[in-house]
């Protein structure tokens, strides 16, 4: 009898560990340039897209792969950690997506085009696959991934979903369209509500493990530090970041955390995780040496211009731009996105729970 119980216990433990230990069937990713592994370039990159040029991709792939970094992204490291292949872009024809697919696309927003039209800034977005559209792309793939509706419910319940980050481009469009950070913050509740609805859509399809990242401290990014630099020392915090822009990100994240908390209560059977992009990156800015970085506010790849090595007219991948000799010592890759080294640390923080609540791996 004891031996039989032991066998049953082991069987139950193995089944439990396959989920609690996070041996996922697949990873499905949604988002923007922080996550895109090639969707924008599947049918040929748009003219003038610099990230298809060296030195993008040089650290890991040895070539540009349409990723906005020198190498792998957070979703790549998550796939590696859980023994899954790197995520193929969902627009890649004829691919097998049973172990994962990436719906993320560069320039993606949370909100649909009508939102930006209502603000008079429709010309400031690419709107390549906003959140609702990406979920539609995923639904179109589902029959080839898991078959029937019931089979998909089972399969997707043991898969990991990463929803974002979303929101960054919604705010970028407003800021570049002439809105102040304070004015843009007036749209935060609408944007966060849309993200929450996206989470609920995925749960309705069968998702049980959903990571919802917040937005980053853009006031610490070379693009913002260059374009919106001022002579007023009071506009900067003690680490050299622009306070108004970080306040916008912080407000979004506060609302998003509350939204995630309410969803956790509404769906107690699901594991909905808030990934704290902001705090982790800001900690790297505050103590770069602790993370192995020698530079935190200066882009690794650029034309060498200015305090932050960012110039719109000579961005990474453009003529005259070049990468620093050791990208792994930099937090920022091109002034807009992070280095592979930073993304690896972020993925580690999400899996361990240091910067993800609850942890992916617990």
């Amino acid at each position: 009898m004891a031996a039989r119980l032991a066998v049953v216990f082991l069987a139950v433990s193995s089944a439990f560990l396959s989920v609690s230990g996070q041996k996922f069937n697949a990873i499905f990713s949604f988002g923007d340039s922080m996550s895109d592994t090639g969707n924008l370039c599947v049918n040929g990159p748009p003219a003038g897209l610099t990230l298809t040029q060296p030195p993008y991709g040089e650290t890991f792939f040895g070539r540009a792969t349409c990723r906005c970094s020198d190498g792998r992204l957070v979703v790549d490291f998550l796939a590696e950690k859980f023994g899954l292949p790197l995520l193929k872009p969902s627009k890649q024809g004829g691919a097998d997506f049973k172990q994962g697919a990436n719906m993320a696309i560069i320039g993606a927003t949370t909100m649909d085009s009508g939102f930006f039209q209502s603000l008079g800034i429709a010309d400031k977005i690419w709107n390549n696959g906003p959140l609702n559209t990406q979920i539609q792309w995923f639904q179109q793939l589902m029959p080839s991934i898991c078959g029937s509706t019931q089979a998909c419910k089972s399969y997707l319940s043991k898969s990991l979903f990463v929803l974002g980050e979303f929101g960054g481009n919604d705010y970028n469009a407003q800021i570049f369209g002439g809105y102040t950070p304070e004015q843009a913050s007036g749209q935060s509740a609408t944007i966060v509500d849309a993200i929450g609805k996206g989470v609920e859509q995925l749960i309705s399809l069968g998702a049980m493990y959903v990571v919802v990242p917040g937005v980053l401290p853009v006031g610490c990014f070379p693009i913002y530090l260059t374009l919106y630099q001022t002579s007023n020392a009071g506009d900067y915090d003690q680490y050299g970041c622009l306070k108004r822009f970080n306040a916008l990100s912080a407000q979004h994240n506060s609302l998003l955390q509350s939204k995630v908390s309410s969803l956790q209560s509404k769906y107690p059977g699901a594991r909905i995780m808030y990934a704290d992009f902001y705090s982790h990156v800001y900690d790297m800015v505050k103590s770069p040496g602790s993370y192995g970085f020698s530079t935190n506010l200066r882009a690794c790849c650029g034309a060498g211009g200015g305090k932050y090595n960012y110039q719109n007219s000579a961005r990474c991948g453009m003529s005259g731009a070049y990468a620093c000799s050791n990208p792994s010592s930099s937090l920022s890759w091109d002034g807009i996105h992070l280095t592979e080294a930073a993304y690896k640390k972020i993925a580690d923080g999400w899996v361990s729970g240091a910067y993800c609540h609850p942890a992916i791996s617990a």
Side-chain angles (χ1 to χ4, degrees), residues 171 184-189 192 246-256:
Y171 297 118
S185 70
Q187 304 299 330
S188 294
V192 167
N246 278 355
L248 172 60
S249 294
Q251 174 178 296
H252 170 96
N253 290 338
S254 177
L255 293 173
L256 184 61

Side-chain angles (χ1 to χ4, degrees), residues 23-41:
K23 283 188 69 176
F24 296 111
N25 289 333
I27 296 177
F28 300 106
S29 173
F30 306 76
D32 56 20
S33 59
M34 294 290 168
S35 304
D36 188 357
T37 55
N39 272 318
L40 190 62
C41 302

Side-chain angles (χ1 to χ4, degrees), residues 257-298:
Q257 284 177 276
S258 295
K259 177 64 68 175
V260 168
S261 179
S262 68
L263 291 171
Q264 288 168 337
S265 298
K266 185 175 180 179
Y267 301 99
R271 189 179 185 86
I272 306 171
M273 299 156 271
Y274 174 73
D276 195 350
F277 241 144
Y278 184 104
S279 293
H280 203 172
V281 173
Y282 195 49
D283 283 348
M284 294 180 195
V285 169
K286 290 189 290 186
S287 304
S290 300
Y291 294 91
F293 299 130
S294 58
T295 61
N296 53 0
L297 302 181
R298 184 176 172 81

Side-chain angles (χ1 to χ4, degrees), residues 19-79:
V19 178
S20 292
Q22 306 314 311
K23 283 188 69 176
F24 296 111
N25 289 333
I27 296 177
F28 300 106
S29 173
F30 306 76
D32 56 20
S33 59
M34 294 290 168
S35 304
D36 188 357
T37 55
N39 272 318
L40 190 62
C41 302
V42 162
N43 297 314
L49 192 67
T50 60
L51 61 91
T52 61
Q53 305 298 318
Y56 281 94
E58 67 173 20
T59 296
F60 181 77
F61 300 100
R63 59 182 177 84
T65 64
C66 209
R67 286 169 171 80
C68 294
S69 183
D70 60 308
R72 290 162 290 184
L73 310 177
V74 172
V75 291
D76 293 315
F77 287 111
L78 291 178

Side-chain angles (χ1 to χ4, degrees), residues 27-354:
I27 296 177
F28 300 106
S29 173
F30 306 76
D32 56 20
S33 59
M34 294 290 168
S35 304
D36 188 357
T37 55
N39 272 318
L40 190 62
C41 302
V42 162
N43 297 314
L49 192 67
T50 60
L51 61 91
T52 61
Q53 305 298 318
Y56 281 94
E58 67 173 20
T59 296
F60 181 77
F61 300 100
R63 59 182 177 84
T65 64
C66 209
R67 286 169 171 80
C68 294
S69 183
D70 60 308
R72 290 162 290 184
L73 310 177
V74 172
V75 291
D76 293 315
F77 287 111
L78 291 178
E80 289 181 351
K81 284 178 183 298
F82 296 118
L84 294 166
L86 300 188
L87 301 190
K88 300 180 183 73
S90 64
K91 292 300 177 183
Q92 183 176 322
D96 182 349
F97 297 111
K98 287 185 174 60
Q99 290 187 287
N102 196 350
M103 278 55 66
I105 189 166
I106 294 166
T109 55
T110 311
M111 307 303 294
D112 295 336
S113 59
F115 171 82
F116 300 100
Q117 289 170 358
S118 72
L119 297 178
I121 53 172
D123 62 322
K124 300 301 178 184
I125 61 165
W126 294 16
N127 210 26
N128 278 309
L131 175 55
N132 281 335
T133 300
Q134 290 187 31
I135 292 176
Q136 290 171 15
W137 292 344
F138 175 65
Q139 289 176 290
Q140 291 164 8
L141 291 180
M142 283 174 59
S144 68
I145 294 170
C146 44
S148 68
T149 300
Q150 193 55 45
C152 282
K153 287 271 187 180
S154 175
Y155 193 82
L156 300 181
S157 72
K158 300 179 184 68
S159 299
L160 179 66
F161 288 76
V162 183
L163 193 71
E165 57 92 51
F166 277 105
N169 286 324
D170 299 81
Y171 297 118
N172 288 341
Q174 293 178 71
I175 298 301
F176 299 152
Y179 283 69
T180 65
E182 294 74 23
Q183 289 171 326
S185 70
Q187 304 299 330
S188 294
T190 300
I191 293 167
V192 167
D193 281 347
I195 295 171
K197 289 175 182 174
V199 173
E200 293 196 272
Q201 280 183 272
L202 295 179
I203 290 173
S204 73
L205 296 173
M208 295 294 285
Y209 294 84
V210 187
V211 179
V212 187
V215 296
L216 296 104
V218 294
C220 303
F221 280 44
I223 181 174
Y224 272 87
L225 289 165
T226 299
L227 298 180
Y228 299 101
Q229 60 186 304
T230 80
S231 57
N232 183 359
D235 291 337
Y236 297 84
D237 66 18
Q238 61 183 308
Y239 306 106
C241 303
L242 285 162
K243 293 189 288 189
R244 295 171 68 199
F245 295 101
N246 278 355
L248 172 60
S249 294
Q251 174 178 296
H252 170 96
N253 290 338
S254 177
L255 293 173
L256 184 61
Q257 284 177 276
S258 295
K259 177 64 68 175
V260 168
S261 179
S262 68
L263 291 171
Q264 288 168 337
S265 298
K266 185 175 180 179
Y267 301 99
R271 189 179 185 86
I272 306 171
M273 299 156 271
Y274 174 73
D276 195 350
F277 241 144
Y278 184 104
S279 293
H280 203 172
V281 173
Y282 195 49
D283 283 348
M284 294 180 195
V285 169
K286 290 189 290 186
S287 304
S290 300
Y291 294 91
F293 299 130
S294 58
T295 61
N296 53 0
L297 302 181
R298 184 176 172 81
C300 167
C301 184
K307 182 177 180 181
Y308 307 107
N309 192 28
Y310 181 85
Q311 294 173 263
N312 263 339
S313 59
R315 301 187 305 278
C316 186
M318 295 176 70
S319 178
Y322 55 92
C324 57
S325 59
N326 183 16
S328 65
S329 67
S330 294
L331 171 61
S332 175
W333 166 244
D334 58 6
I336 307 170
H337 309 95
L338 306 178
T339 58
E340 178 185 90
Y343 285 133
K344 183 181 187 306
K345 290 174 174 61
I346 290 165
D348 289 342
W350 291 7
V351 172
S352 70

